[in-house]
Amino acid sequence: MDKMRICGGVPLKGKILISGAKNAALPLMAASLLSDETLTLINVPRLADIATMANLLGQHGVELGLNGNDNSLPRISGQTLDLKASRISSTLAPYDLVRKMRASILVLGPLLARCREAKVSLPGGCAIGTRPVDLHIAALESMGAEIVIADGYINARAPKGLHGAEIVFPMVTVTGTENILMAAAIAKGETVIINAAREPEITDLANCLAAMGAKIEGIGTDCLRVCGVERLRSAKHIVVADRIEAGTFAIAAAITSGKLELIGTRHEHLLSLWNILESIGIKSEPTKDGVMVCRRTDDLQSVDITTEPYPGFPTDLQAQIMALMCVSSGAATISETIFENRFMHVPELLRMGADITVHNSTAVVRGVSKLKGAPVMATDLRASVSLALAGLVAEGETILNRIYHLDRGYERLEEKLRACGAKIERIRA
Ligand code: EPZ
């Protein structure tokens, strides 16, 4: 397995082009199942999870064409993907593919809406929690689906097709909202989704569906009203920039006392992060091409943080901001309210000399004068990058093991960081 070697102590300076968002590209790819015409996605990041979704769609019969980069567009670095589901040859999403990536659940709604049946493996839990899909299932049942869970599979059928419904999510679910939004686009009648997730990735999906001919009102709000149409047509869509990648690099600038311009970042997609960074002593300002982030005080202030659904502080940046709090002056309380086990980075940060105590879903982080490099283990995508951030500021060498976790969600991480001065290299197994 590949490893990453990081030597800390270098302030990062320069520009980083932010990739297309993984958590937008995945549902956008699944949306291709809804139409028999070509969906062209531009700025798709080169990530392991994207390849997994491409494999899954391929075995459903989606024809995929990779058309290199579209360099004609500014601030675009990703690949252009053509997806055409002219006919769907299989409605089975097998365990050996779904277990690699929970987001595979995103084929359930589109397959059921288009083919009136689907057999999708239960995604199972992962490092950060059990991650059930009961809300997806209940919502689809209210749209007329008959669903039986058996042998580890979701066996779903809708002999008369899906119909509109009023769906109230008892808790905010990102992929739950996405599954229902896609199913509702071609269901018979009107669907109202109340307490819908409002993440920018959902807005991106809704905008793409609208370009395909879907009729959606309330985009960007927690109440989505969808009037089903007979069929969706071809469209071209540019994947929104990855706000979590951008937030990760903003924290990299902060933790190394550097200065980075994050090209392609939408400032308005990370307001909760900019406010927290301001309190810590980090300045962020929109530029013509993105957002500039730099440290404006010597001493970083410890700040209490609670993760919340958008527009609150993202759970996907919790591990990263914790690394920053490890070297701030004072004590910070970090409360994780979205997932039940998202502190896997704590034991590894402790190995680097951090001072953190965890009580249930709250971590108390007392800043230390310095972290020391050490061999550490990546456990999940965001915990992994949190350890890389700690390595960038630690004294000495950090070896990050099992970096396949990183490759799932960060495109060319070491190249982007090295180009800004970081001493980081991949050690191929
Ligand atoms: C999406 O996961 C993201 N993944 C996650 O990013 C992100 O952390 C999460 O949303 C929260 O923002 C993708 O978009 C591919 P949820 P998702 O449904 O949709 C509970 C990353 O690092 N829940 O919003 O699976 C659930 O257990 C990944 O890029 C139910 O109980 O998350 C959790 O506690 C990690 N029943 C809470 O809701 C359900 O049916 C929020 O989960 C669904 C969810």
Side-chain angles (χ1 to χ4, degrees):
M1 288 184 207
D2 289 3
K3 300 179 179 182
M4 203 77 88
R5 175 188 290 125
I6 305 165
C7 294
V10 179
L12 299 184
K13 294 196 187 331
K15 296 173 186 270
I16 295 182
L17 180 53
I18 300 301
S19 300
K22 164 179 83 85
N23 290 350
L26 292 172
L28 286 166
M29 289 171 74
S32 66
L33 291 164
L34 293 166
S35 169
D36 58 2
E37 296 185 22
T38 300
L39 173 61
T40 298
L41 297 176
I42 298 163
N43 199 29
V44 177
R46 293 169 187 76
L47 297 169
D49 276 7
I50 298 297
T52 301
M53 181 60 87
N55 284 342
L56 179 58
L57 293 174
Q59 68 93 38
H60 288 314
V62 176
E63 299 152 56
L64 293 114
L66 209 48
N67 302 327
N69 295 3
D70 194 328
N71 293 323
S72 61
L73 296 163
R75 298 184 295 280
I76 295 293
S77 66
Q79 51 197 352
T80 297
L81 214 47
D82 286 333
L83 303 106
K84 186 175 185 184
S86 39
R87 53 181 293 281
I88 289 174
S89 52
S90 163
T91 57
L92 168 67
Y95 173 68
D96 65 330
L97 277 176
V98 172
R99 70 181 173 80
K100 287 182 191 161
M101 183 184 66
R102 279 189 42 78
S104 308
I105 193 68
L106 286 166
V107 302
L108 177 61
L111 284 175
L112 203 40
R114 170 99 184 265
C115 308
R116 302 188 170 188
E117 63 169 31
K119 182 173 181 178
V120 177
S121 168
L122 278 169
C126 67
I128 62 177
T130 53
R131 304 188 70 186
V133 289
D134 55 316
L135 301 181
H136 300 235
I137 289 167
L140 289 167
E141 285 176 332
S142 64
M143 296 174 76
E146 297 159 14
I147 297 181
V148 173
I149 308 287
D151 310 322
Y153 277 83
I154 302 166
N155 300 280
R157 52 194 294 272
K160 299 194 185 79
L162 293 180
H163 57 69
E166 179 175 279
I167 289 157
V168 182
F169 277 123
M171 65 195 313
V172 172
T173 164
V174 171
T175 48
T177 301
E178 290 165 343
N179 241 334
I180 300 310
L181 180 57
M182 290 189 280
I186 56 171
K188 292 186 199 73
E190 182 178 73
T191 298
V192 182
I193 308 174
I194 296 164
N195 199 25
R198 292 185 279 160
E199 274 66 5
E201 294 76 31
I202 287 167
T203 297
D204 207 41
L205 173 64
N207 290 334
C208 178
L209 290 170
M212 295 167 77
K215 298 200 179 329
I216 305 170
E217 291 172 12
I219 295 177
T221 75
D222 62 357
C223 180
L224 296 171
R225 191 178 292 274
V226 188
C227 188
V229 295
E230 275 290 306
R231 58 196 304 276
L232 296 177
R233 56 180 185 270
S234 66
K236 269 194 175 189
H237 181 81
I238 299 175
V239 180
V240 69
D242 193 323
R243 63 191 167 99
I244 301 303
E245 183 194 23
T248 302
F249 288 128
I251 294 168
I255 205 167
T256 60
S257 307
K259 181 173 184 177
L260 290 175
E261 186 177 12
L262 308 173
I263 307 297
T265 305
R266 302 273 294 274
H267 185 267
E268 69 275 19
H269 286 172
L270 279 167
L271 296 179
S272 58
L273 175 66
W274 310 136
N275 292 337
I276 290 279
L277 289 180
E278 179 69 27
S279 311
I280 293 170
I282 306 300
K283 191 170 75 172
S284 64
E285 55 184 359
T287 64
K288 178 171 64 63
D289 294 326
V291 179
M292 181 70 79
V293 180
C294 67
R295 192 154 160 178
R296 59 178 176 74
T297 57
D298 290 340
D299 254 1
L300 293 174
Q301 297 307 308
S302 295
V303 170
D304 292 345
I305 291 147
T306 299
T307 63
E308 294 172 309
Y310 190 88
F313 190 88
T315 176
D316 291 349
L317 287 176
Q318 178 260 105
Q320 298 91 313
I321 202 82
M322 185 182 287
L324 184 61
M325 291 295 92
C326 286
V327 292
S328 302
S329 54
T333 301
I334 298 180
S335 301
E336 172 56 61
T337 68
I338 307 293
F339 291 112
E340 67 266 30
N341 185 33
R342 202 165 198 180
F343 286 141
M344 309 277 275
H345 41 290
V346 169
E348 301 307 305
L349 289 169
L350 292 176
R351 290 173 48 72
M352 299 176 74
D355 178 353
I356 308 168
T357 49
V358 172
H359 305 279
N360 299 325
S361 60
T362 299
V364 178
V365 186
R366 291 177 181 79
V368 295
S369 55
K370 68 168 180 280
L371 294 175
K372 283 182 70 57
V376 288
M377 185 74 73
T379 51
D380 63 88
L381 171 55
R382 308 303 175 181
S384 315
V385 83
S386 155
L387 300 174
L389 294 176
L392 288 172
V393 71
E395 189 181 72
E397 179 181 274
T398 297
I399 299 290
L400 181 53
N401 295 286
R402 294 190 184 172
I403 57 169
Y404 59 85
H405 290 292
L406 273 178
D407 296 336
R408 291 191 50 182
Y410 288 92
E411 186 177 8
R412 298 179 297 111
L413 180 75
E414 68 270 24
E415 283 174 45
K416 294 185 177 183
L417 288 172
R418 202 165 39 236
C420 296
K423 289 182 188 159
I424 181 171
E425 61 174 337
R426 181 180 291 257
I427 308 165
R428 299 232 180 255

